[in-house]
Amino acid sequence: MSGKRTSRLRRSLPRLGRPTASDASSGLVTGLFSIPEGMAYASIAGFNPVAGLYAGIVPAIVGSLAARSVLMVTTLTSAIALTSQSALSDAGLDPKDAGNVATLTLMVGVVMLLMAALRLGAVMSFVSNAVMTGFSTGIALQIITGVLEDATGYQPEGHNKLYQLGNWAAHIADWQLAPTVVACATVAVWAVSRRVRRLEPVALLIAMVAGSAAVALLGTDVELVADIARIPSSLPGFSAPDLSAVPKLLGGAVAVALVGLAQAAGIGPSVPNPDGSRSSVNGDFAAQGLANVTGGLVQSLPSGGSLSRTGVAVSAGARTRWAGIFSGVLLAVVLLVCAPLAEHIPMPVIGGLILVVGGELIWGKRHDIRLVLRTSWMSTGAMAATFLATTQLPLQRAIILGAVLSLLLYCAQAARRARLVGLVRDDTGHWRTAEVPDRLPPGEVTVLYYEGVSFFAELPQLDAALPDVAGARDAVLVLVVRGVPDIPSSTMVKLLQRYVRDLDRQGGKLIIAGAEPGLVRILTAGRLDRDLGTDGIIPASGAIFAPLEQAWATGTRWSAGRSQDSAQTP
């Protein structure tokens, strides 16, 4: 038994695989990106920039070790940083207090672990592809607009990301020459390097090193990482949480966790596992939870699956989860060995490369966008609404809107899917589909198959499709409900009660065939068994057509007996 448990445990643990040279180079590129990007995100949200830097070490290592999405990089994102700042501000706490940050980060990790334990990742299955496409594309646009100032020296106006993009393009005359030239040159080096097959995995690293070296040699006056904050030549130390802040941060921790998990949920579909293994939303929930619990104790800000940093890792040649592990390890090495050198990375170089990453993420969504546009107008509307919400509203509100839109899409599709299908028995004894009659023919057995989930919104359509019972003397309706879930809508029970009474007044009978055990209990609790009689509910069995055959035989005997009784009555 212990051997079996050990075997199951091994299967449940993520496979590390063998690290490759491209994983190492990808980890170096991703780690170097974590220096300016993490510090910038933390600074924008009012946190100590070094806390954003530290989010790229321990959380990245722990997250990559445990994640089910192999290439997902767990670290600070702009959305998480801004949501965290909002959570602390709403609680009246100082975002630069290390104890408050540690408390929030730990609580976010606990919420993520709790959601993983409750297997709430299944909830993400109800978020449609249309909504996720709009959400992911909106996040990619946020990534782009977040570095426009770094790349061109012009800070676009407005809160709406689309408006910011338009404002930025309209004020091209206000772009500063030096950062714009540096960013464009960096993108050009990346594009040329990418065309060389052997250099493609390290194109981002080549562009970063070349751009930084050129700025240093030419003495170009642009903003450097050092202008954001000084990078300490040391590893993060222990950070004690302030337990008195826990009650104030309960709601905020849930909001930050939801933002982080929603962002990470789009990574698995966007970046499939190279080893062919299947990603798991619940597994990723747990990985991010562990990353935050450990990161909260070592001066890190809340972290989550980063679409931009994952995009950097993939573009730099990531092949296994070792790329994310290397990114944290090599970032720690860089801090210990050459922190002052890393301070000289120009922000326009980072801005140009983040523009590339954001553009690639949007380009990678083109097939999904085209598919949604071709599917239906409802899916198109949901995608567009989620995209617009992501570019304009706070991210937690955009997530809620996307979830509501997904639920509405599901309800609409479920309601439209419900229908009745007529079944007739041919001369060979086989059942074939037929039209549903407008009226129940008297003295005959009519068989209808119900396709649906008994959702209350679909039942008016079902009610209208049921045959009229007027004049249905000695008629039998066999309603096959094999596909109805164990717990149907109470509206369905009321509909059946009314139909049974109407049919009974006309001298007819209803037989329900193929009912699952839970459905039988619900119908019995609604006292339908009394109205239908002992033979009126035929449970489902292992043989798929057996309940239908039994109902057909029962209905035929009942109808024939009623007709014979009527004929003998003077």
Side-chain angles (χ1 to χ4, degrees), residues 85-317:
Q85 190 274 339
S86 176
L88 289 169
S89 297
D90 291 345
L93 300 173
D94 182 5
K96 290 188 177 181
D97 183 277
N100 294 336
V101 173
T103 304
L104 177 62
T105 306
L106 283 168
M107 291 179 66
V108 169
V110 170
V111 171
M112 290 178 168
L113 287 173
L114 182 60
M115 294 182 72
L118 295 175
R119 307 199 63 79
L120 295 180
V123 175
M124 300 306 299
S125 301
F126 287 90
V127 180
S128 68
N129 177 64
V131 167
M132 284 306 303
T133 299
F135 183 73
S136 300
T137 307
I139 289 294
L141 182 63
Q142 282 199 6
I143 292 170
I144 290 174
T145 56
V147 296
L148 293 179
E149 183 180 13
D150 293 331
T152 61
Y154 174 74
Q155 173 64 55
E157 300 176 355
H159 297 288
N160 184 295
K161 302 305 177 183
L162 285 174
Y163 181 84
Q164 287 182 5
L165 188 63
N167 179 266
W168 173 76
H171 288 78
I172 188 171
D174 295 327
W175 295 2
Q176 296 178 18
L177 180 61
T180 301
V181 170
V182 171
C184 291
T186 302
V187 173
V189 172
W190 167 82
V192 172
S193 302
R194 190 175 173 82
R195 294 182 66 86
V196 180
R197 186 172 183 180
R198 290 187 176 183
L199 298 180
E200 183 178 356
V202 292
L204 286 171
L205 179 59
I206 292 173
M208 179 184 292
V209 173
S212 301
V215 168
L217 291 173
L218 297 175
T220 309
D221 184 19
V222 294
E223 185 180 30
L224 305 178
V225 170
D227 296 322
I228 299 178
R230 178 184 171 274
I231 301 178
S233 300
S234 63
L235 296 178
F238 175 74
S239 180
D242 181 2
L243 298 181
S244 65
V246 170
K248 302 177 183 178
L249 291 174
L250 285 175
V254 173
V256 176
L258 289 176
V259 168
L261 296 176
Q263 282 188 292
I267 294 178
S270 301
V271 187
N273 292 342
D275 60 4
S277 62
R278 298 183 64 179
S279 60
S280 165
V281 178
N282 286 312
D284 289 341
F285 279 14
Q288 293 169 88
L290 290 173
N292 278 289
V293 169
T294 54
L297 298 175
V298 287
Q299 299 179 280
S300 171
L301 280 166
S303 304
S306 170
L307 191 59
S308 66
R309 213 72 57 87
T310 302
V312 169
V314 173
S315 297

Side-chain angles (χ1 to χ4, degrees), residues 537-561:
I537 301 177
I538 300 177
S541 64
I544 296 177
F545 290 101
L548 170 57
E549 296 289 353
Q550 182 180 345
W552 173 263
T554 300
T556 301
R557 287 195 303 269
W558 185 89
S559 181

Side-chain angles (χ1 to χ4, degrees), residues 266-543:
I267 294 178
S270 301
V271 187
N273 292 342
D275 60 4
S277 62
R278 298 183 64 179
S279 60
S280 165
V281 178
N282 286 312
D284 289 341
F285 279 14
Q288 293 169 88
L290 290 173
N292 278 289
V293 169
T294 54
L297 298 175
V298 287
Q299 299 179 280
S300 171
L301 280 166
S303 304
S306 170
L307 191 59
S308 66
R309 213 72 57 87
T310 302
V312 169
V314 173
S315 297
R319 295 293 180 268
T320 71
R321 65 178 69 250
W322 280 101
I325 298 170
F326 282 145
S327 72
V329 172
L330 294 176
L331 175 57
V333 173
V334 168
L335 292 181
L336 289 173
V337 177
C338 51
L341 186 61
E343 292 178 353
H344 289 84
I345 299 177
M347 293 305 297
V349 169
I350 297 300
L353 294 181
I354 292 296
L355 288 177
V356 167
V357 171
E360 284 193 316
L361 290 173
I362 293 177
W363 180 250
K365 284 293 179 182
R366 68 189 185 282
H367 298 301
D368 285 335
I369 294 173
R370 190 180 300 120
L371 176 63
V372 172
L373 291 174
R374 292 174 177 175
T375 301
S376 70
W377 67 266
M378 288 193 301
S379 295
T380 300
M383 178 180 67
T386 307
F387 171 76
L388 293 174
T390 306
T391 62
Q392 183 171 359
L393 299 176
L395 199 56
Q396 60 267 37
R397 297 182 186 176
I399 292 170
I400 294 173
L401 176 61
V404 171
L405 288 174
S406 293
L407 181 61
L408 291 176
L409 278 177
Y410 171 78
C411 293
Q413 291 168 355
R416 292 171 62 182
R417 178 179 176 273
R419 64 171 182 159
L420 288 174
V421 178
L423 297 178
V424 295
R425 200 171 191 176
D426 60 19
D427 297 336
T428 63
H430 293 92
W431 292 97
R432 303 187 183 280
T433 59
E435 294 293 328
V436 178
D438 294 331
R439 291 176 177 272
L440 280 182
E444 296 183 16
V445 179
T446 302
V447 179
L448 299 180
Y449 182 84
Y450 169 51
E451 291 184 345
V453 295
S454 81
F455 180 61
F456 67 87
E458 71 190 36
L459 296 181
Q461 180 179 341
L462 171 64
D463 192 13
L466 284 169
D468 190 352
V469 300
R473 184 174 180 80
D474 303 332
V476 177
L477 173 61
V478 175
L479 184 62
V480 183
V481 293
R482 180 86 187 194
V484 175
D486 279 357
I487 304 177
S489 166
S490 61
T491 309
M492 180 181 184
V493 177
K494 291 181 63 176
L495 185 154
L496 291 175
Q497 288 174 335
R498 184 176 67 252
Y499 195 81
V500 167
R501 288 194 296 266
D502 292 343
L503 185 56
D504 183 66
R505 282 194 289 266
Q506 297 294 326
K509 180 179 180 63
L510 174 68
I511 301 176
I512 297 177
E516 297 291 344
L519 178 58
V520 173
R521 288 194 297 270
I522 297 295
L523 296 178
T524 303
R527 298 187 176 182
L528 266 173
D529 57 327
R530 298 182 182 180
D531 298 330
L532 296 174
T534 56
D535 56 357
I537 301 177
I538 300 177
S541 64

